Amino acid sequence: MTDTQAHSQMSIDQQLALRTAATRLTAEFTGVYGTETIERFLHTSYDQFATDGSIPHYLPLLAERFARQRLQALARVEGHHRDGRPVALFLCTHNAGRSQMALGFFTHLAGDHAVAWSGGSEPGAEVNPAAIAAMAERGIDIAAEFPKPWTDEVIRAADVVITMGCGDACPVFPGTRYENWDLDDPAGRDLADVRPIRDDIERRVRRLLDDLHVAHPA
């Protein structure tokens, strides 16, 4: 589906939801970005999810969440937002398993002391249910997360980019710190097989937090 087709097939409810989202984002980024920039990010974010298999009801919400992340990243890149918190970006192929579990651990352990995002080279349709179940066993809920692509501003805003199996598809920007984590792909595995992957990710995230000098629970 092309961008033009995606926009032409929007229902009235979707159009209203996007206008409402634009109003919220404009209020959040007052003095940083104008309406034109916010609407552009919102609509390009919508286009990322407007596939034939997507659920129309959720598209404006996903677009708003993704646009907010991208605008936050752009604000960091352009120097509009400096809070001193390190930013970690976790990348894998489908952004449905490994990178989502790493994001969950990082966010849970770091709290408000650091920022984490995730993305994929070929985003899947949903987060792996076995990964969701494995993380729930640790008391971490990643069910509300969604696979998403990476964008230039998100990569440039990161202090460290962790790659997990995306190979040559992973973007490389000069001056950005990269680490590659060699992890098994949980796709197609049951819960019992995902648990060791989850535990490996937790150990690696804890080491990363130590390396970034971010305090976290033992």
Side-chain angles (χ1 to χ4, degrees):
M1 182 184 297
T2 66
D3 296 351
T4 301
Q5 289 173 324
H7 291 159
S8 67
Q9 293 179 15
M10 280 187 197
S11 68
I12 294 176
D13 286 344
Q14 286 175 304
Q15 294 175 37
L16 176 60
L18 281 180
R19 286 198 294 271
T20 302
T23 299
R24 280 195 293 265
L25 291 172
T26 298
E28 289 179 33
F29 290 91
T30 298
V32 180
Y33 296 115
T35 301
E36 182 178 341
T37 297
I38 287 170
E39 289 184 347
R40 174 167 56 86
F41 271 68
L42 185 60
H43 283 271
T44 55
S45 295
Y46 178 94
D47 295 337
Q48 296 282 356
F49 301 107
T51 63
D52 292 334
S54 60
I55 303 174
H57 177 70
Y58 293 107
L59 288 175
L61 175 61
L62 295 182
E64 180 180 355
R65 290 175 61 186
F66 191 38
R68 178 177 290 106
Q69 175 181 304
R70 294 175 60 200
L71 288 164
Q72 290 170 344
L74 185 64
R76 286 178 177 272
V77 171
E78 295 183 342
H80 300 301
H81 182 80
R82 295 190 181 94
D83 58 12
R85 295 185 297 170
V87 178
L89 174 62
F90 300 99
L91 303 180
C92 67
T93 304
H94 302 302
N95 191 215
R98 291 165 291 187
S99 55
Q100 293 287 2
M101 288 191 284
L103 173 67
F105 275 123
F106 191 100
T107 302
H108 176 75
L109 293 169
D112 294 331
H113 301 298
V115 177
W117 297 316
S118 69
S121 56
E122 300 174 13
E126 62 179 3
V127 176
N128 185 335
I132 293 174
M135 294 299 289
E137 292 181 341
R138 286 285 190 269
I140 301 173
D141 184 4
I142 62 170
E145 294 298 331
F146 56 99
K148 64 190 81 65
W150 57 62
T151 59
D152 285 0
E153 65 275 354
V154 169
I155 298 167
R156 292 182 184 278
D159 294 294
V160 58
V161 177
I162 307 297
T163 60
M164 310 174 186
C166 47
D168 293 339
C170 284
V172 176
F173 285 92
T176 300
R177 172 185 164 191
Y178 289 85
E179 289 185 21
N180 182 68
W181 291 359
D182 188 10
L183 297 162
D184 290 333
D185 189 346
R189 299 173 185 259
D190 60 21
L191 178 57
D193 290 333
V194 171
R195 287 183 181 123
I197 303 172
R198 173 203 64 196
D199 294 345
D200 189 4
I201 290 173
E202 180 180 9
R203 287 189 292 269
R204 292 170 184 263
V205 168
R206 288 181 178 276
R207 286 197 296 268
L208 176 61
L209 288 169
D210 289 338
D211 192 37
L212 293 172
H213 306 291
V214 175
H216 60 90

